Each structure stands twice: as C-alpha cells, then as structure tokens.
C-alpha cells in the first residue's frame, strides 16, 4: 500500500511543473464548462431568484412537458438538424472542391489572391453580415429588388416570406465558411507525400485519377474528423448567424427558429428559465447521443479514424 | 484535334492526354475559383460603394456596386462626433489585445503539456478538455454561473474571460507541437532546462506559424464578439464595437440621440443607409488589415492531422 501511494505522489512531483502549467486551463474549463453542467438540475426545478440554482423547488418533468406541449420543440429540433445537415454537406463539398482546385491550379499569384479573397467573409462579424444581407434583401432599396424592378418584375418581400430563408441561410453559411474550410483542407492536401503523386504520374495516371485515387482518399481522415465534430454540433444552431440574419422576426420562425434562438428568447424575453434550461438540456443530450452514435459508426468502419 | 487514337503511336502525342487533362482542370479551376472569389468579394464592394453613395440616390435607385453619386457625407458625419464610437473602439481594442495575449499564452502552454509524450496523464487531461465539446450544461446554467456566481455582469472581464480558451484551438496547437521532434525537448532537459523554460525558449519560437494562425483566430473572435455583450453588458460605457454597431443598425433613432449627446446638431434627415454602411466599414477595417500579414502562416499553422488524445 505504501508503495502505491509513493507511486502517485512521485508522479505528481515528477510532473509538478507540467501540472502547474495545466492549472489555468483546468480551472477555466471547471468554471465555464464543468460546474455549469451541474446547473442541468434547473431543468427539473421551478426557478426563483431567491432560491437560485440549488434552492429553488423541484418541478419534476413540468418544464419538459411545457416545452414539448408548446409545439415549438419539434419545429426547432427539425430546423436545427436540417440546417446543420445542409451546412455540413454543402460547405464541406464546396471547401474540398475549392481546396483541390487551389492546389492544382498553377499560377502562384492567382492562388494567393483567391485564397485571400475567399477568406474575406470569414473575417467579418455576423452583425456586419446581417447588415449586408439587409442591403441585398430589403424590400424598398435592396439590391435584389432594385434589379427585379429594373427588369420590370414585382419586388419580393423576402423578410416576410419564410420559404426563402432555408436557401438564403445555406448560401450565407457556405459563403462565410468557404475560405476557412478551404485552407483547412489545403493544409491537409499540402501534407500529402509528394512521392505518391510522382509514382502515380510514372504509372501513367492522369490528373483526375490522381485526385480521385490519391488526394481524396488522403483527405478522408481530415474530412471524418471535421464532419464528426460538426455532427456533435448538429443540434446546436449558430446563434450569431440566425439572430443577426433573422432576429426576432416571428413571421419567419417556421423556417428559421432553431433551438439556440428559442432558448435565448425564452431566457431573455419571456424569462422562462426552467423551460429554457430544459430545452438546453434536451439539446445537449441530443448532441451527445448523436456524436456517440457517429463515433461508434466510424469506429466500426475504421477504428483509427474515430474521435475516441 | 479530332481524334487522339489516330496518333497514339507517335511518342510526342502519347503525352498529350495528360496535358489535355491538365488544361481542362486549369480552365475549370480558374473559372470556378474566379466565380467563387467574385461571390465572396461582391458584398464588400456593395458596402463600400453604398457607404460612399449619396443618400437620395440609394433611396431612389437602391444599393449599387458602383456609386453613381459620390458622397463622403456619411464618413464626415461619423468622424465629426466620434466619441461614442471611439469609446466602443477602445473597449474592443483593449479586450482584443488582452484576450489574445492571455488566451494565446494559455492555449499554447496547455497544448504544449498535452503534446509531451512523456507526460503520464496526457490522455486523461486531453479527454477532460475534449469532453466539454461533447456535452454542456447549456446556455442557462452558463449564464447564471457568470451572472450570479462569478458576478461578472457589466464588467470588462466578462468580455474577456468566457472566450479565453477554446478546445479546438488547443487541439490544433497540440497537433502542431507534436510534430516538433522530441529530441529537442530531451536535449534541453539534459542541459538542465525546466519544463516552462523549454516551452518559452524552444517550443514557442518553433511554433510561430501555429501561434500566428491561432492568435489571429482568437483576435478575430474577440474583435467580432457581440454575443457576450448582448448577454452581459447593459452599460453603454462598456459596449464593444460590434455590439455598438448592432445597436445602431437596429436603431437609427438611437444613433441620432448618440450624436446629439455628443454635441451634434443633427438634422432629421440623417443619411441613414449610407451611415450604416460607413459604420460597417469602420467596424470591420482593422481586422481585415491584419489578415494579409498573417496569411503566409496559415497553411503550415493549421494542421489537424491528429486530433485524438
């Protein structure tokens, strides 16, 4: 027994400076991630300000019942998942496509310039994107409607028509993340062993065969990691995006309300802390289950490519 | 060239298919990338041009790519009574500077420890951090923690602390540092250097590309942050730039008031649309200017080859 104790403290001593270096990060994640996890019990409580998180009376499943009975639960879940699936597919395909083209297209200055330009949208805040969108879609002076009027057509009231927004949001997401993802994939392509390409060339492979047989298979680990991470967030909406593009426009909720905007609204405007916490808990559970399933699936297919 | 098969036996023609494929790909590449690039740059041109347009032309003809009636009125109005905006600028610059420096230091230090293969609890700690991306308490407990338990509401710290560290950046940094040969650490240890000294004097200089890349991302997140302000800031003195912009865009009356508060005699027909766009440019400018200087590090700095703990 003495030996075991000796072993552990011996290690602590041995790694004391490394452990010390980890302390700030550990504290950070304790404060901002682990301790708040205990707040999940709020989902089962009737929150009141005097009682706080732990002193408020229990409420059983009432918050969940309220959330599911309101009819919002299905709508926000469906919207969040469908948007994220569309984002994952469209964004990754576009990014891989652009990265391969950037890698293969010869001109150095062209490559540099394109890379810079594609990255521009990533650099602006969602607030600014919201302002730009308003410029384009605004009923009176928006560019699209001015063009339509110029062509003698009826202007469209985009901010009052829910049906347009899935398309707009998918395009905006692709636009905003194109440069970032492209560089991520370009970094992965650049690290592929050039000897493989040389060998393929000697064997007479043409450029498309090289892309299909070398570049894409070698990108798969990166694709899988990024997609797995994205799948873990499939029930998390990009709040900044939805809030700035749509705001609290109730007319569009049927196609734009996601779990995050719903939780935010119930927390800030209607002050329904219990239900808001229940919806947040429901979101975390769904996300956790999804990533576990996805990881399990990848593990079965190829153990080395799973996240954990 | 109607038929390639006819010439298949001549040696110089045998190379042709390869070149033709390259040609096709080049054409597809240049055309597609140009279209994508135009797509990415177009909204910026629209904003710049609208900010330089005469208000009545915007009302009449809408936002245009090329300003037909040039006017710098929006900018001169913006810079005439800049107090509110400068205050917001000050907040954003301080938050970005402090947050980036501290965040980058802590991110790289954590990543370094996790990249040390001889560290016994390496994978346990990696999982401790990674787990937070899998599961969380959600917005409400996080919010209550910051407001009720840490009492950070309406402080400068609330704009800095919650965004200080991000698991994904730790992973990217760790994976970069893992590619630095162990021999460097080993030989420094033999020479008697401590872990912290090895980190500061050997690893940090060698990790320049990753530090530049992650540093830019952290800076970008701070510069563009409005969400923490939306949740936690109610004092106008503490409003960062993007949140100020957000408020102004939604509320031009507020802007008029702000301008009057700073002593302006503002007529009622403020050039609202062009003013919004001018503000957008001013709020975005600095971070866009930083990008070209750091771009060269990007491809080497961003490797996520080995995410796993």
């Amino acid at each position: 027994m003495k030996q075991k104790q000796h072993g552990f403290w011996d290690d602590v001593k041995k790694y004391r400076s490394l452990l010390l270096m980890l302390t700030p990060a550990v504290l950070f994640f304790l404060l901002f991630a682990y301790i708040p996890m205990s707040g999940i019990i709020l989902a089962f409580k009737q929150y009141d300000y005097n009682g706080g998180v732990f002193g408020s009376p229990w409420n059983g499943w009432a918050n969940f019942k309220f959330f599911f009975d309101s009819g919002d639960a299905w709508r926000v879940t469906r919207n969040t998942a469908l948007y994220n699936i569309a984002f994952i597919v469209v964004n990754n395909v576009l990014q891989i496509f652009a990265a391969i083209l950037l890698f293969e297209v010869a001109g150095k200055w062209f490559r540099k310039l394109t890379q810079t330009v594609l990255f521009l949208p990533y650099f602006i805040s969602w607030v600014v994107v919201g302002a730009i969108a308003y410029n384009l879609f605004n009923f009176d002076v928006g560019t699209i409607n001015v063009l339509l009027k110029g062509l003698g057509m009826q202007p469209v009231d985009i901010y009052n028509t829910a049906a347009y927004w899935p398309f707009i949001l998918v395009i905006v997401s692709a636009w905003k993340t194109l440069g970032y993802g492209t560089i991520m994939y370009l970094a992965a392509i650049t690290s592929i062993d050039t000897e493989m390409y040389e060998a393929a060339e000697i064997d007479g492979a043409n450029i498309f065969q090289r892309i299909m047989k070398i570049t894409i298979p070698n990108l798969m680990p990166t694709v899988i990691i990024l997609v797995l991470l994205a799948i873990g967030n499939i029930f998390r909406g990009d709040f900044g995006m939805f809030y700035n593009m749509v705001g609290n426009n109730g007319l569009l909720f049927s196609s734009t309300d996601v779990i995050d905007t719903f939780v935010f609204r119930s927390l800030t405007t209607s002050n329904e802390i219990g239900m808001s916490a229940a919806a947040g808990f429901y979101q975390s559970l769904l996300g956790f289950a999804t990533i576990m399933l996805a990881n399990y699936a990848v593990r079965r297919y190829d153990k080395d490519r799973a996240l954990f | 060239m109607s038929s390639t098969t006819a010439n298949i036996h001549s040696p110089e023609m045998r190379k042709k298919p390869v070149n033709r494929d390259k040609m096709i790909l080049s054409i597809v590449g240049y055309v597609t990338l140009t279209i994508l690039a135009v797509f990415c740059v177009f909204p910026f041109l629209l904003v710049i041009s609208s900010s330089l347009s005469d208000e009545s032309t915007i009302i009449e003809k809408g936002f245009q790519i090329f300003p037909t009636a040039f006017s710098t009125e929006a900018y001169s109005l913006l810079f005439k009574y800049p107090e509110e905006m400068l205050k917001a600028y000050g907040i954003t610059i301080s938050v970005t500077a402090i947050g980036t420096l501290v965040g980058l230091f802590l991110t790289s230090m954590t990543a370094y420890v996790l990249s040390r293969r001889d560290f016994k609890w390496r994978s346990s700690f990696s999982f401790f951090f990674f787990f937070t991306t899998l599961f969380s308490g959600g917005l409400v407990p996080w919010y209550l923690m910051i407001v009720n338990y840490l009492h950070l509401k309406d402080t400068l710290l609330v704009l800095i602390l919650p965004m200080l560290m991000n698991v994904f950046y730790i992973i990217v940094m760790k994976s970069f540092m893992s590619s630095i040969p162990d021999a460097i650490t080993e030989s420094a240890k033999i020479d008697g250097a401590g872990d912290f000294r090895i980190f500061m004097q050997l690893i940090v200089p060698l990790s320049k590309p990753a530090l530049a890349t992650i540093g830019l991302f952290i800076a970008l997140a701070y510069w563009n942050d409005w969400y923490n302000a939306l949740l936690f800031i109610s004092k106008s003195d503490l409003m960062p730039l993007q949140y100020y912009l957000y408020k102004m865009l939604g509320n031009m009356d507020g802007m008029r008031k702000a301008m009057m508060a700073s002593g302006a005699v503002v007529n009622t027909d403020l050039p609202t649309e062009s003013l919004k766009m001018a503000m957008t440019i001013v709020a975005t400018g600095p971070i866009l200017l930083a990008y070209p200087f750091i771009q060269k590090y990007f491809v080497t700095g961003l490797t996520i080859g080995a995410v796993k703990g």
Side-chain angles (χ1 to χ4, degrees):
Chain A
M1 196 187 118
K2 205 183 167 202
Q3 214 180 357
K4 198 181 162 196
Q5 208 174 34
H6 173 82
F8 177 76
W9 290 110
D10 212 38
D11 282 336
V12 171
K13 229 178 121 182
K14 184 174 164 199
Y15 298 121
R16 64 175 184 278
S17 50
L18 292 181
L19 289 170
L20 201 67
M21 286 164 84
L22 274 184
T23 310
V26 170
L27 276 178
F28 176 86
F29 286 101
L30 277 179
L31 277 182
F32 292 102
Y34 282 98
I35 298 176
M37 280 180 205
S38 67
I40 283 168
I41 59 163
L42 270 176
F44 305 96
K45 289 205 163 191
Q46 166 111 51
Y47 188 80
D48 68 68
Y49 281 93
N50 300 322
V53 176
F54 299 101
S56 298
W58 292 97
N59 199 11
W61 294 95
N63 290 326
F64 290 94
K65 239 184 106 61
F66 188 43
F67 173 52
F68 288 107
D69 286 346
S70 68
D72 295 324
W74 163 242
R75 183 188 68 197
V76 295
T77 311
R78 179 202 62 198
N79 282 349
T80 317
L82 287 183
Y83 273 115
N84 278 316
I85 291 169
F87 294 161
I88 292 172
V89 174
V90 173
N91 295 357
N92 280 294
V93 168
L94 253 179
Q95 289 158 4
I96 293 170
F97 185 58
I100 291 175
L101 289 180
L102 265 180
F103 183 72
E104 298 288 350
V105 163
K108 204 182 164 190
W109 68 266
F110 181 81
R111 197 158 136 188
K112 268 212 154 128
L113 184 75
T114 325
Q115 216 172 305
T116 311
V117 170
L118 293 189
F119 222 120
L120 277 179
Y122 191 77
F123 275 75
I124 56 174
S125 71
W126 281 115
V127 177
V128 172
V129 178
I132 293 177
Y134 186 77
N135 256 2
L136 289 170
F137 304 140
N138 169 316
F139 188 74
D140 299 315
V141 292
T143 309
I144 288 179
N145 278 330
V146 169
L147 278 176
L148 286 179
K149 278 184 256 179
L151 295 170
M153 291 195 274
Q154 282 295 314
V156 280
D157 197 354
I158 298 171
Y159 279 99
N160 286 325
T161 317
Y164 295 127
W165 285 88
F167 299 100
I168 294 173
L169 291 167
V170 168
I171 291 172
V172 168
S173 167
W175 174 78
K176 186 103 162 54
T177 54
L178 180 61
Y180 177 77
T182 301
I183 292 218
M184 205 70 128
Y185 283 119
L186 192 60
I189 297 178
T190 324
S191 66
I192 297 172
D193 195 350
T194 46
E195 272 178 38
M196 273 199 250
Y197 288 111
E198 280 155 23
E201 201 146 6
I202 291 166
D203 288 347
N206 70 30
I207 201 156
F208 297 108
Q209 285 166 330
R210 272 171 34 203
I211 292 172
M212 295 310 289
K213 298 271 153 64
I214 302 175
T215 311
I216 291 182
N218 274 292
L219 275 182
M220 281 327 277
T222 311
V223 176
I224 289 175
I225 287 169
L226 291 177
V227 169
L228 267 180
L229 289 171
I231 284 177
N233 285 325
I234 220 164
F235 291 106
R236 253 176 243 169
D238 187 337
F239 181 81
M241 170 178 192
F242 288 96
Y243 195 71
N244 280 296
M245 295 288 294
V246 187
N248 278 329
N249 186 344
L251 283 170
L252 302 179
F253 280 168
S254 67
S255 73
T256 60
D257 203 16
V258 291
I259 304 179
D260 296 79
T261 45
F262 176 80
V263 170
F264 175 81
R265 239 187 6 258
S266 14
L267 175 70
T268 54
T269 54
S270 45
N271 219 3
E272 295 179 70
I273 292 191
M275 188 190 63
S276 184
F281 183 35
Y282 159 79
Q283 176 182 37
S284 274
L285 277 184
L286 280 181
F288 189 67
T290 328
I291 186 104
M292 284 308 183
L293 275 176
N295 192 61
Y296 175 73
V298 174
R299 258 183 99 86
R300 284 204 59 176
Y301 164 74
D302 181 351
K303 212 169 166 260
D304 291 331
R305 289 182 178 178
L307 271 175
F308 44 83
Chain B
M1 195 170 60
S2 55
S3 153
T4 36
T5 41
N7 295 314
I8 200 127
H9 296 295
S10 73
E12 64 268 63
M13 287 313 277
R14 266 177 57 201
K15 271 197 110 82
K16 262 271 151 59
V18 176
N19 290 337
R20 196 195 55 194
D21 290 335
K22 265 199 179 135
M23 264 269 280
I24 294 173
L25 192 76
S26 281
I27 294 169
V28 172
Y30 278 108
V31 172
T32 319
L33 289 172
T34 308
I35 292 172
L36 288 177
V38 169
F39 189 56
C40 285
V41 94
F42 171 81
F44 290 87
L45 296 179
L46 199 65
V47 172
I48 295 172
S49 139
S50 324
S51 74
L52 290 168
S53 289
D54 176 52
E55 182 76 4
S56 56
T57 326
I58 296 182
I59 304 285
E60 195 185 316
K61 293 184 180 163
F63 295 105
Q64 292 172 313
I65 272 293
F66 301 107
T68 38
F70 187 78
S71 156
T72 53
E73 198 197 343
Y75 287 96
S76 53
L77 248 172
L78 207 56
F79 288 112
K80 215 169 180 177
Y81 305 100
E83 270 126 272
E84 288 260 331
M85 184 119 181
L86 281 182
K87 222 185 275 166
Y89 240 103
I91 295 288
T92 292
I93 289 173
S94 344
V95 165
T96 305
I98 301 170
T100 308
L101 281 177
V102 179
L104 192 57
F105 174 71
L106 294 180
T107 302
S108 51
M109 189 163 73
T110 310
Y112 169 64
V113 179
L114 297 181
S115 77
R116 278 273 295 263
R117 280 176 197 85
D118 60 326
F119 179 47
K120 195 176 174 183
W121 299 303
R122 183 177 169 223
S123 52
S124 327
F125 276 108
S126 295
F127 191 75
F128 174 83
F129 298 123
F130 185 66
F131 183 73
T132 61
T133 63
L134 300 181
F135 191 76
S136 79
L139 174 70
V140 180
W142 180 77
Y143 176 86
L144 292 178
M145 176 79 187
I146 289 171
V147 174
N148 291 357
Y149 295 90
L150 299 173
H151 303 289
L152 290 174
K153 199 169 192 233
D154 274 324
T155 60
L156 200 60
L157 268 181
V158 85
L159 297 175
I160 297 174
L161 275 182
M163 291 165 66
L164 212 47
M165 268 187 270
N166 172 317
V167 179
F168 191 64
Y169 297 158
I170 298 179
I171 290 171
V172 173
M173 190 79 92
K174 180 189 112 184
S175 128
F176 184 91
M177 287 173 173
S178 299
S179 66
I180 298 173
D182 286 339
I184 293 180
T185 320
E186 292 302 322
S187 67
K189 255 197 245 166
I190 292 165
D191 290 343
D195 292 317
F196 189 72
R197 203 167 137 184
I198 295 175
F199 165 66
M200 284 307 280
Q201 294 189 340
L202 289 169
I203 304 298
V204 165
L206 285 169
S207 306
K208 228 168 92 182
L211 288 169
T213 310
I214 299 300
L216 180 73
F217 284 140
I218 298 177
L220 190 63
Y222 277 114
W223 188 273
N224 282 341
D225 178 47
W226 56 279
Y227 181 57
N228 285 311
L230 176 75
L231 284 172
F232 302 118
I233 298 292
S234 54
K235 284 187 192 157
S236 65
D237 282 357
L238 286 171
M239 267 190 217
L241 196 55
Q242 301 297 330
Y243 186 56
Y244 177 73
L245 180 68
Y246 167 80
K247 288 219 129 174
M248 291 296 127
L249 290 178
N251 175 12
M252 270 294 141
D253 281 338
M255 173 165 232
R256 213 168 279 142
K257 269 184 215 137
M259 292 205 134
M260 282 197 279
S262 47
V265 188
V266 182
N267 47 358
T268 39
D269 45 317
L270 208 60
T272 334
E273 298 301 336
S274 52
L275 200 53
K276 280 179 185 172
M277 293 307 112
M279 284 188 73
T280 305
I281 299 284
V282 174
T284 310
I287 200 79
L288 276 182
L289 293 179
Y291 169 54
F293 297 102
I294 300 180
Q295 195 194 4
K296 62 177 175 181
Y297 294 114
F298 264 26
V299 174
T300 36
L302 274 177
T303 339
I304 57 145
V307 169
K308 280 178 280 185

